[in-house]
Amino acid sequence: MARINENFQKLAAGYLFPEIGRRVSAYAEAHPDADIIRLGIGDVTLPLAPAVVAAMREAVDEMGTDKGFRGYGPENGYDFLVDAIREHDYRARGIELEASEIFVSDGSKQDSGNIQEIFGAGCTLSVTDPSYPVYVDTNVMAGRTGEVDDQGYYGGIRYLAATEENGFMPGPPDEALDLAYLCSPNNPTGAVATRENLEAWVAWAKDCDAVLLFDAAYDAFIQDPDLPRSIFEIEGARDCAIEMRSFSKRAGFTGVRCAYMVIPKNVSGTTESGERVSLNALWGRRHATKFNSVPYVIQRAAAATFSQEGQAQTREQVRHYMDNARLIREGLAAAGFTVFGGEHAPYIWMRTKDGQSSWDCFDDLLENAQVVGTPGSGFGPAGEGYFRISAFNSRENVEEAIRRITRT
Ligand code: MLT
């Protein structure tokens, strides 16, 4: 008899976005004429940039020739992409990385879910609350937590409340832990970490020999060049941090799939007997066993985002979404809503009206405005009473959504 991994049964609910999709489909079926505007899941809407499409076409043509055909690629990514990442995402901001410190992958969702595999079952961890559900759910599946309580907290996880008072950027805990997930610009609150915030985290991690798992999937949305885009801009982070970045939001790759993870050689964990082991080597072993590289065509497409045209075109896409974010922020604030985020991230974090619950707000907006957002409580108990609105849509839809929300 095949015994199941019973940790899966501890999961309190289905994954957030399919649950939203289910509710929206049910509504659409009952109201076939409803013109629903989707500002829920943070999925891009603009077409791929012309430079990206051209690079993909060229790569497809190459693959159709004897000379240009390629089979399995290098597990960690082709040199042309890894070098472009080193040059544009890191060297340009004063960070030197070795090529072997970068692992190209098919998405930050996968990376942020899979990275916990290389850590011991007994590792203690923190998440900010609310946070991207993948961090918690994958640790539940791995058996690193206890049961969920009535409020939605899993035993064994240290939740750090992200509140209006701390600008939705909680500092490190007052205890030693092994792992800490951080995300900046933040999904879901739209907050962004300052240099001081990250310095405090790095100091804490070094002090207690913890590893920071830094999710920078939204780095391209940072508008202020003085704000850190990478944890490695902070001194000491190369000894204690792993960073995840993605082409999904910055270049419209949600359906194309390409991302990467940086694990500096110095970051290590320990065995039971106290021996130091490089996490770069451990992840390299895992990656080589479970992953066969991102397709050549896709890596060519990702590399094209770093060409001059690619940079200009993808910057324009980000500008479009950030203009949407500003309109949502300003429109809702003018109508009396209390809103946060949206300045360095494509998400607006709205306080629900009159203490309405997050899911009631979701149902209310779906019923009365035909606008879909994401209930804050879906990202963790401290998200209760908030609602996330994504800026990923057309200008027309965003303007119409603001009109409808402010009328409800
Ligand atoms: C979100 O809406 O939170 C994101 O789109 C989810 C993801 O990137 O996987």
Side-chain angles (χ1 to χ4, degrees):
M1 196 188 306
R3 284 282 300 272
I4 61 156
N5 175 353
E6 289 183 47
N7 293 311
F8 278 61
Q9 295 194 309
K10 289 183 198 157
L11 291 166
Y15 190 61
L16 176 61
F17 293 105
E19 172 60 20
I20 289 173
R22 198 188 55 70
R23 292 193 187 208
V24 175
S25 299
Y27 180 83
E29 220 165 278
H31 305 85
D33 296 330
D35 170 22
I36 299 172
I37 300 178
R38 289 171 167 80
L39 303 177
I41 191 165
D43 196 2
V44 292
T45 55
L46 289 173
L48 291 171
V52 168
V53 174
M56 276 174 124
R57 280 214 177 97
E58 205 175 301
V60 167
D61 286 343
E62 267 185 82
M63 290 286 279
T65 64
D66 282 339
K67 196 160 164 277
F69 173 75
R70 284 166 171 84
Y72 296 128
E75 291 94 24
N76 296 3
Y78 284 100
D79 288 347
F80 62 79
L81 178 56
V82 171
D83 288 343
I85 290 168
R86 291 167 73 202
E87 181 63 37
H88 296 280
D89 280 352
Y90 292 98
R91 194 165 295 137
R93 291 190 66 90
I95 303 159
E96 266 316 312
L97 292 179
E98 288 178 33
S100 54
E101 294 180 313
I102 296 173
F103 297 86
V104 173
S105 78
D106 57 348
S108 280
K109 183 177 194 172
Q110 288 88 319
D111 284 344
S112 61
N114 292 333
I115 188 64
Q116 48 77 29
E117 277 185 29
I118 62 169
F119 297 102
C123 278
T124 53
L125 64 117
S126 72
V127 293
T128 60
D129 175 24
S131 66
Y132 183 39
V134 171
Y135 313 150
V136 168
D137 285 6
T138 54
N139 278 287
V140 174
M141 291 170 178
R144 222 168 265 117
T145 73
E147 300 291 336
V148 69
D149 70 13
D150 294 347
Q151 290 177 297
Y153 293 111
Y154 287 93
I157 293 184
R158 176 75 196 266
Y159 291 83
L160 304 169
T163 61
E164 293 180 22
E165 290 68 37
N166 61 26
F168 300 102
M169 270 293 153
D174 51 8
E175 62 178 320
L177 298 172
D178 302 317
L179 304 171
Y181 289 84
L182 290 180
C183 176
S184 175
N186 189 261
N187 178 15
T189 66
V192 68
T194 61
R195 191 166 296 276
E196 293 68 39
N197 292 142
L198 296 185
E199 280 169 355
W201 273 100
V202 169
W204 170 83
K206 292 197 71 156
D207 203 42
C208 63
D209 202 6
V211 176
L212 300 177
L213 303 169
F214 187 70
D215 183 348
Y218 297 91
D219 72 291
F221 295 84
I222 294 178
Q223 303 296 300
D224 178 347
D226 291 336
L227 284 167
R229 285 182 169 220
S230 166
I231 189 83
F232 302 119
E233 290 180 42
I234 308 302
E235 206 180 316
R238 289 186 62 99
D239 300 326
C240 62
I242 289 175
E243 177 161 290
M244 291 160 265
R245 297 234 201 157
S246 171
F247 294 89
S248 281
K249 317 289 161 116
R250 66 150 84 161
F253 273 46
T254 53
V256 175
R257 311 306 302 156
C258 195
Y260 65 89
M261 182 143 67
V262 177
I263 311 185
K265 295 269 173 65
N266 287 354
V267 189
S268 63
T270 59
T271 63
E272 205 181 335
S273 60
E275 182 199 342
R276 286 266 162 202
V277 177
S278 153
L279 297 182
N280 178 290
L282 221 53
W283 181 256
R285 182 69 178 80
R286 188 257 175 220
H287 205 56
T289 305
K290 295 195 174 186
F291 192 64
N292 245 340
S293 85
V294 172
Y296 174 71
V297 174
I298 303 302
Q299 293 196 51
R300 278 287 178 205
T305 65
F306 294 113
S307 71
Q308 229 175 359
E309 305 98 292
Q311 284 190 55
Q313 292 162 1
T314 54
R315 246 199 311 267
E316 199 47 36
Q317 297 178 336
V318 167
R319 198 190 55 74
H320 165 82
Y321 295 129
M322 289 311 289
D323 284 347
N324 283 351
R326 182 179 47 75
L327 290 174
I328 298 169
R329 229 183 110 84
E330 291 174 0
L332 297 185
F337 288 89
T338 304
V339 288
F340 305 91
E343 284 175 310
H344 302 286
Y347 296 125
I348 285 78
W349 191 238
M350 175 178 103
R351 201 196 293 155
T352 61
K353 265 201 208 150
D354 307 322
Q356 196 180 32
S357 82
S358 298
W359 276 107
D360 283 352
C361 178
F362 173 89
D363 290 334
D364 190 21
L365 288 180
L366 183 57
E367 283 283 335
N368 299 314
Q370 288 78 51
V371 172
V372 179
T374 308
S377 56
F379 297 98
E384 183 55 275
Y386 293 89
F387 195 73
R388 192 192 77 174
I389 299 174
S390 149
F392 292 113
N393 215 310
S394 66
R395 183 62 36 80
E396 193 188 351
N397 278 349
V398 160
E399 285 174 345
E400 175 61 15
I402 298 166
R403 269 193 292 277
R404 293 191 201 166
I405 296 172
T406 53
R407 264 203 315 259
T408 57

